Amino acid sequence: MDDTSHPDPTTTDHPSDPHAAPASARRARSGWPWRGAGRARHDRLTFDAPRPPESTGAWLHVVSGPSGSSVARGASELAARFLSVGHRVLIVDGSPRLRLHDRFDREVRWGVVECLAGEMPLLGLVQDAGRLGLYLLAHGMPARRTHWAQLGRMLDEARPHFGRLVLALDPDAPAAIGEALAGWHLEGWWSEQGHRKGPASRLADRLGIHLSGLDLEALPEPTLESLDARLWALSTLRVEAAAQSSRAVASAPVTSSIRSATATTLECDARVRERLRFLLWMRRIQTEDQRPDAARVPADASVTPA
């Protein structure tokens, strides 16, 4: 494998980050109680104020949907969002029916099944998904039993090497997966919008995970080409947003800001003083832009050349 042995330099999961996911699989709980809390907690599957997945602090993201194609689209959408902010992403195929290796044109070989059985190390089985920063762990060879109780150990093995992990499950995923994830800080996603009952509610009850609707209108097909287009669109939006923010700062009134900052300079902290220096610099730039270009003005404008 290329660079999965190196930590993700851009991950936000740092002990000093207040939104960082826990380092231990048993240190924190998801925000929803485990089993027995009743179906009422799943009556609403979407956030009151929808938020982009990349803005959450969870390292682990579980995604499912009503069909194999929708789950693949959901995994691709999450991967594109995390890649667009610079994370190294691992997609884990948690079902033999999803066949995500076909979606990404990868090999059908050992994967989750062998890792959970302790037969092979995770990093030896991860495949480059064909795009920079994106990796895939296939489901593995058919087996009579999948050791889901070892899922936490497998995630612990993956965590130091990837900025985000997307666990793709089919809607019939067994309750044992939810039990193995009971101590993890995670986000759960359902690859549809507006569905509050049916397969989504049954999966949420079975796993004990709250599922939020995931909008897939911008990703029509679960292919590498569609993922490339989605990633390009997300990156373009971020560049445009950064440019608009820069223009807003440059066009803000400078004189009044300097006057206000100067009055409190002696009592302000280092960040305010740095802001004051920036405003003074902007003022100087604006003043210079308003001056006539000396190279274009004649030395004696009152003298007409012969």
Side-chain angles (χ1 to χ4, degrees):
M1 190 179 56
D2 296 334
D3 60 347
T4 53
S5 60
H6 302 289
D8 182 359
T10 60
T11 179
T12 58
D13 294 334
H14 189 276
S16 62
D17 183 359
H19 301 292
S24 171
R26 295 294 180 265
R27 190 174 300 171
R29 282 297 307 260
S30 174
W32 295 91
W34 170 251
R35 308 186 79 85
R39 187 176 292 273
R41 60 189 169 95
H42 300 302
D43 285 347
R44 186 173 182 83
L45 291 174
T46 57
F47 292 113
D48 291 334
R51 53 178 176 167
E54 65 271 25
S55 69
T56 68
W59 173 78
L60 173 61
H61 292 256
V62 177
V63 61
S64 187
S67 66
S69 177
S70 65
V71 177
R73 289 173 64 198
S76 297
E77 172 69 11
L78 291 173
R81 288 184 171 273
F82 299 142
L83 289 170
S84 70
V85 293
H87 289 301
R88 183 181 295 120
V89 181
L90 174 63
I91 298 178
V92 175
D93 189 343
S95 170
R97 294 186 292 185
L98 295 179
R99 298 185 63 84
L100 294 183
H101 59 275
D102 288 338
R103 306 284 184 180
F104 293 99
D105 195 22
R106 299 295 98 180
E107 300 178 11
V108 52
R109 64 179 191 184
W110 307 297
V112 173
V113 172
E114 289 73 22
C115 285
L116 296 179
E119 298 175 359
M120 298 180 182
L122 178 139
L123 291 182
L125 303 180
V126 168
Q127 303 182 58
D128 183 336
R131 295 299 181 270
L132 182 63
L134 181 61
Y135 299 87
L136 173 71
L137 181 64
H139 186 71
M141 305 304 292
R144 297 180 58 184
R145 178 188 178 190
T146 303
H147 300 270
W148 289 116
Q150 298 300 314
L151 180 58
R153 174 187 56 78
M154 189 186 80
L155 295 176
D156 281 333
E157 189 176 349
R159 180 160 188 160
H161 308 287
F162 303 96
R164 292 291 183 268
L165 187 143
V166 178
L167 175 60
L169 302 174
D170 66 42
D172 296 325
I177 296 178
E179 295 172 358
L181 297 176
W184 283 84
H185 172 57
L186 57 83
E187 295 287 349
W189 305 94
W190 183 257
S191 299
E192 271 187 324
Q193 284 279 26
H195 288 244
R196 303 181 183 180
K197 297 182 180 179
S201 293
R202 289 193 292 271
L203 178 65
D205 281 336
R206 189 163 58 254
L207 299 184
I209 296 174
H210 181 74
L211 300 176
S212 302
L214 187 61
D215 186 4
L216 300 178
E217 291 184 0
L219 190 71
E221 296 293 336
T223 62
L224 282 175
E225 291 73 17
S226 295
L227 187 147
D228 285 342
R230 180 59 172 150
L231 180 57
W232 176 261
L234 289 169
S235 301
T236 302
L237 288 175
R238 296 187 189 284
V239 171
E240 291 177 350
Q244 291 178 359
S245 177
S246 299
R247 286 194 294 267
V249 171
S251 62
V254 177
T255 305
S256 59
S257 299
I258 295 176
R259 187 179 299 113
S260 176
T262 304
T264 58
T265 299
L266 296 178
E267 300 178 358
C268 66
D269 58 15
R271 287 177 297 180
V272 176
R273 290 195 295 271
E274 183 66 24
R275 174 64 175 170
L276 177 59
R277 286 194 291 269
F278 172 76
L279 292 173
L280 290 171
W281 175 76
M282 287 296 301
R283 177 66 172 178
R284 185 171 65 252
I285 294 297
Q286 291 180 355
T287 302
E288 292 176 353
D289 289 342
Q290 294 173 359
R291 293 176 180 174
D293 190 347
R296 298 179 181 177
V297 178
D300 187 355
S302 62
V303 178
T304 303

